Amino acid sequence: MQHAYSGAGGQVETVLFERFRAVRARSLHLIEALSAEDCQVQSMPDVSPTKWHLAHTSWFFETFVLGECASPYRPFDASFAYLFNSYYNSVGPMHARPRRGMLTRPSLRQVLDYRRYVDAAMERAWEAIVHAGLAERVELGLQHEEQHQELILTDILHVLSCNPLLPAYRDGLPPPAAPAEQGWLQLGAGLRMIGYHGPGFAFDNEQPRHRVWLDSFEIATQPVTHADYRAFIDDGGYADPLLWLADGWALRTQEGWQRPLYWSDDNTHVFGLYGVQPIDPQAPVCHLSYYEADAYSRWAGARLPTEAEWETAMTETAALQHSGQVWEWTSSAYNAYPGFRPAAGAVGEYNGKFMCNQFVLRGGSCATPPGHARVTYRNFFPPAARWQFSGLRLARDA
Amino acid sequence: MQHAYSGAGGQVETVLFERFRAVRARSLHLIEALSAEDCQVQSMPDVSPTKWHLAHTSWFFETFVLGECASPYRPFDASFAYLFNSYYNSVGPMHARPRRGMLTRPSLRQVLDYRRYVDAAMERAWEAIVHAGLAERVELGLQHEEQHQELILTDILHVLSCNPLLPAYRDGLPPPAAPAEQGWLQLGAGLRMIGYHGPGFAFDNEQPRHRVWLDSFEIATQPVTHADYRAFIDDGGYADPLLWLADGWALRTQEGWQRPLYWSDDNTHVFGLYGVQPIDPQAPVCHLSYYEADAYSRWAGARLPTEAEWETAMTETAALQHSGQVWEWTSSAYNAYPGFRPAAGAVGEYNGKFMCNQFVLRGGSCATPPGHARVTYRNFFPPAARWQFSGLRLARDA
Amino acid sequence: MQHAYSGAGGQVETVLFERFRAVRARSLHLIEALSAEDCQVQSMPDVSPTKWHLAHTSWFFETFVLGECASPYRPFDASFAYLFNSYYNSVGPMHARPRRGMLTRPSLRQVLDYRRYVDAAMERAWEAIVHAGLAERVELGLQHEEQHQELILTDILHVLSCNPLLPAYRDGLPPPAAPAEQGWLQLGAGLRMIGYHGPGFAFDNEQPRHRVWLDSFEIATQPVTHADYRAFIDDGGYADPLLWLADGWALRTQEGWQRPLYWSDDNTHVFGLYGVQPIDPQAPVCHLSYYEADAYSRWAGARLPTEAEWETAMTETAALQHSGQVWEWTSSAYNAYPGFRPAAGAVGEYNGKFMCNQFVLRGGSCATPPGHARVTYRNFFPPAARWQFSGLRLARDA
Amino acid sequence: MQHAYSGAGGQVETVLFERFRAVRARSLHLIEALSAEDCQVQSMPDVSPTKWHLAHTSWFFETFVLGECASPYRPFDASFAYLFNSYYNSVGPMHARPRRGMLTRPSLRQVLDYRRYVDAAMERAWEAIVHAGLAERVELGLQHEEQHQELILTDILHVLSCNPLLPAYRDGLPPPAAPAEQGWLQLGAGLRMIGYHGPGFAFDNEQPRHRVWLDSFEIATQPVTHADYRAFIDDGGYADPLLWLADGWALRTQEGWQRPLYWSDDNTHVFGLYGVQPIDPQAPVCHLSYYEADAYSRWAGARLPTEAEWETAMTETAALQHSGQVWEWTSSAYNAYPGFRPAAGAVGEYNGKFMCNQFVLRGGSCATPPGHARVTYRNFFPPAARWQFSGLRLARDA
């Protein structure tokens, strides 16, 4: 992580504290319409219960801020170190991920108490935290909580989709997307710099900033829309193995995929946070696996961009419209940048150990907290994942 | 089912109505210490969420009593016919059993409203119900609810066992079992009658009463105790394939069984409805699969009784002490009695279609509602099942 | 096993020796049309390679006759004790059953050498064998080999069915079945004796002969034919859950069953030992699971007979025509007869440890060696098994 | 593929024909010590039977050379188009990969006849083939056959490893590896060109040659040896999750990995083509998954090289000793080079559709046919694969 707060004066810490309050409050805002039961269920191993997200993000502050601060801190409940550790082997053993939904105790109410307890302790210890040089760690905790805020939405959407009643997470459907003309941006060949370098926050996996050579290429001004994708379906895209990666074709066959996740069988409606709604032709297609995004791009006579192309285009043109509506699959396998060093200490397990069997997505989605993503931000998921808000943007050789 | 109420006068119906109220109230009593989260979770496909049990037992009255009664009835919620049908194909499709835990909606609160709604409708329609000859159906519904009361306990015990905190379902551990001397009862060979015949209620699978020939045999006066079973463990019972059925040995190996379900790894404590407690040597061993019960009996130089032997011994001697503490595995595969006819109508799916791959258990357990079981009562579970309150009693050839 | 040979004079042993030669030769005859590759493959865990059958039946004589005889015997290959032990834990560890098809070494040629070696040793040691009282054990080995002869046929049929070329095992299709009139035999209620008692050979599981009470019943004079079963299919038998046991319906759904195993998708042809042939309407339907047999019987307004009914009908009327064409599923779960004692020694593992999760089949099939089955013979398979030559005969209450 | 033969004169074609004969003969040479049974078995889905390799490589010439040549050609057997197509959807459907081991027919003998038939047809049609411009396609077929020659060895090794007898594939163990000093080569930062460009043969996935920027780095002069890897094991490398990728740790745990594939439980011997042999400390460690190679490199304070680093080091220094003994895992996910175009026609399915979930290996192994690999050659396998001859070489940032 970059040291945005190192050596900073009191004003910066005040801003950080306000941000701490705002981010923590936002998590609670997200669950206002959910019942204790909604927050309990784990609908598949990839999904975590809302309650678990709420507790884990508090555990993060407890473990990596309060626990490393000189100020004495007494944990809310000693068992939570085990229950709400996600995957940090260096701080101890943990409850098995696929069994998070078994934890009916502590209750949601107790987890909310836990949050208040941690928040109060953070407030009391604030000066000591700053003094101990843990301001950046607090920022990491907030970035971490923002990532879980997106997961709260993706995961509860999956949970609700498993109920035949298909209940809506919230009301107030926004207006349909405005039509936008599809075009191509051209970028010339050359050495570029990608990755983060600067005073603000960035994850270790976005660094170090480094050189890459790019051949000339073109990239679409818009993400692929529902209408575009419907044409792929209607043209038999799900029935032609020559369009698909071998692993994707095998998975499509095994799972019987005929359309994106959450679409109705007649391809007219889609289930989302606002319940079942008619498909908006102009809106970006969403809930695609990498395999579907890749097959679509091949059918369209194009390809997915690499993450270096994506970042370069976004940096140099600022003309990639509608970015931030859906995460955009890139053709780049998630790996270490040249010279990558995991963050020091236990948080070094945050990103590096997942650099295998995943692809990078760029941009951000409607579920991403405002201000969270960056042009250098690297999201990553396995190619089979569909429950994220994932779509695509086309690229092609110049 | 026997027609206990056919042609009965008003007094009988009044008694039935009081019983209806009492049984329905008992279900609510069982969940007093449970949270909405506790009632939500399905810890394995065999387990149903408490909330589902509460709704399903109401659905049973709604579908098989209110729905078949002339009196007009408007269902509480049309979708519940799908959500809370267990396995009655003849009344329509149903939500998949292993996915009952996905139903965060309706909430527990709504399910409790549903119960009140059904109870009120039953009360309002009581005369019409009796007039329509549905009193026996009401009794079936109550027996059905009592069965689910036992399942509520077995299932929540499994749910809570999946939590590393191992929370207790309730307080107030009863005193330890009094020591009782083990002995053998001898019964002579001869033709016997087993199965139910009489004026009261019995399930279709307990009927018709029929002749069986029994050779002379002996049966233990006591169920096998924790102390008995501990000797089997200490003697290497879990390590000797010659003691086990082939399927049982394969399962033991695959699952790594070394002791009954819910025992601590050092064989000193057991998890139960009262939380983790020291093992009581005099109490009947519990949470055994058929395979373990069978292996124990072979190690002990004995065998499991057949269900005909069990019923005969219980009928003729009334000396089977401690019966009713644990369900007792018999060596009888669950099948149709000679001349068996499933109950007429949709409730014919209640028992008959499960007559395959299961073994009969007799007696009753600490979780069985008082007065529910009979000497002819046939409980049945697959031989691999361990989460029921299942133990054994020995028998041997005379 | 009954002691048919105990105390018998030299003449009986001579007959036994001739029988030994004949049975062993018959195994070789069965593989004449098979290649080394055919004899190698294990097409599913339930199937054993032909080569393994040939070796295992020799291992049986080596282990349980030559190895227990005073005459010194040097095993053909020390490693075979491990490779070709099937499931006798009491004589040592064994190669895992589902991995029998991995054993490319020893080759078929070496296994045939092994057979000759064992045969020669048996011949050399014959007097010592008889003197040691092992004549019954030899008979058990021959019965065992005959059972494997049937398995050689059922298993190779499955192996060949996995080849898209659907090659025939042999030529010379016999003429079609003669039409026979379906009728019912009536048998009155009463106490009967079933099970084996006599001077000849019988397996331990057929004993002891014991009393059973039978209510009056009727049994069909003919097994269910292809034409009968076709009517069940055409009437939607595979689409109506009310006809099926719950486990059967689940399996049907999971596996997509629409017809018996080995039938063509248009229900006009069937693959068998003679290759793909038109379905003979008069011939008994074959390759049914218990679930299908049970569902058919329910559809037909009848039921499967119990094994006691089957044996009684066969004994008392001798009028069960076409018996011996297909194994006939009974409704009897495979269990121990009252007073059952496993055979002494290691061969006690032969039958008893499988008395769980299986149903009894009676009669014999076109693949059963001539003279092998008896009226008391109990074959047994899990209810899901379809690769055996299994059909059914109807029964009903009188 | 590069057009090495386009416009070439008769002499080149003569050389090609000699090469055709030599490569085809080499396949037969490889199976000299194998029985029909050895050639039949598929020990896991990733493995193909030797017989299948022999047939498939002939099918390749039949389909992509003889079938596209003007000269009339009558296939050896019409069914082989289905049986021996591997994964070319554009030429028709195919037998399922995990069921290749079921094909006992055609026999090995018939497959050898098939090979002779195709060879003769190729010889007869040689002029027409050249005239039709199919010389490059012939070369592709030979490269393809050489790849399968390596697979014949890797696959039969796995088959034989499944036999408790652990038979050797061949005799004549070569002398142990000479000790070599481990050192590091330094390479400076700069733009490099990688990928194939030239007159000879190369696969489509090695092309186009393109620029990459490399930061300065160091690479080991030797692959990691058995002795090196033993130190990792002895230091608890298999027990420390902080050394492993998350997916790798999960797989290690699930599979119980404690050492490389084919090692004895006491880490003293290894099973290989020459049977069970003492581990040679100086020889390169082999049969590692990517996860193990990656964990080792982290333990050693180093990392795996990227494929661009590997190719650059090999090209610029020619000092990577012992290259060609084991395939060396690189940290590069297998993907398309910039500007990648799959080969035209059906053979376009050869490489491109596998660019997902795999990592690139470079160099070659003791099982690679002489002259087959190139410095630009990209082998690829999933990170879990261990049955290939796969090891590693360390790199580190300068």
Side-chain angles (χ1 to χ4, degrees), chain D residues 275-289:
Chain D
V276 177
Q277 299 292 343
I279 289 175
D280 175 0
Q282 307 295 339
V285 64
C286 192
H287 298 298
L288 297 183
S289 66

Side-chain angles (χ1 to χ4, degrees), chain B residues 303-327:
Chain B
R303 59 171 174 81
L304 297 176
T306 66
E307 62 171 324
E309 288 173 338
W310 192 98
E311 186 172 327
T312 298
M314 184 60 95
T315 307
E316 299 187 0
T317 75
L320 299 186
Q321 298 167 47
H322 290 298
S323 172
Q325 293 197 349
V326 292
W327 286 101

Side-chain angles (χ1 to χ4, degrees), chain C residues 36-38 40-43 51 79 82-83 95 99 101-105 107-108 159-160 162-165 167, chain D residues 33 36-38 40-43 51 79 82-83 95 99 101-105 107-108 160 162-165 167:
Chain C
E37 289 103 323
D38 293 332
Q40 174 62 42
V41 167
Q42 180 170 32
S43 51
K51 185 172 72 180
S79 70
Y82 179 82
L83 297 180
H95 187 63
R99 299 185 70 73
M102 298 294 105
L103 303 173
T104 66
R105 320 278 177 99
S107 66
L108 176 60
V159 168
L160 296 173
C162 293
N163 190 323
L165 305 176
Chain D
E37 289 104 323
D38 293 332
Q40 174 62 42
V41 168
Q42 180 170 31
S43 51
K51 185 172 75 178
S79 71
Y82 179 82
L83 298 181
H95 187 62
R99 299 184 70 73
M102 298 294 105
L103 302 173
T104 65
R105 322 277 177 100
S107 67
L108 176 60
L160 296 174
C162 293
N163 191 322
L165 305 176

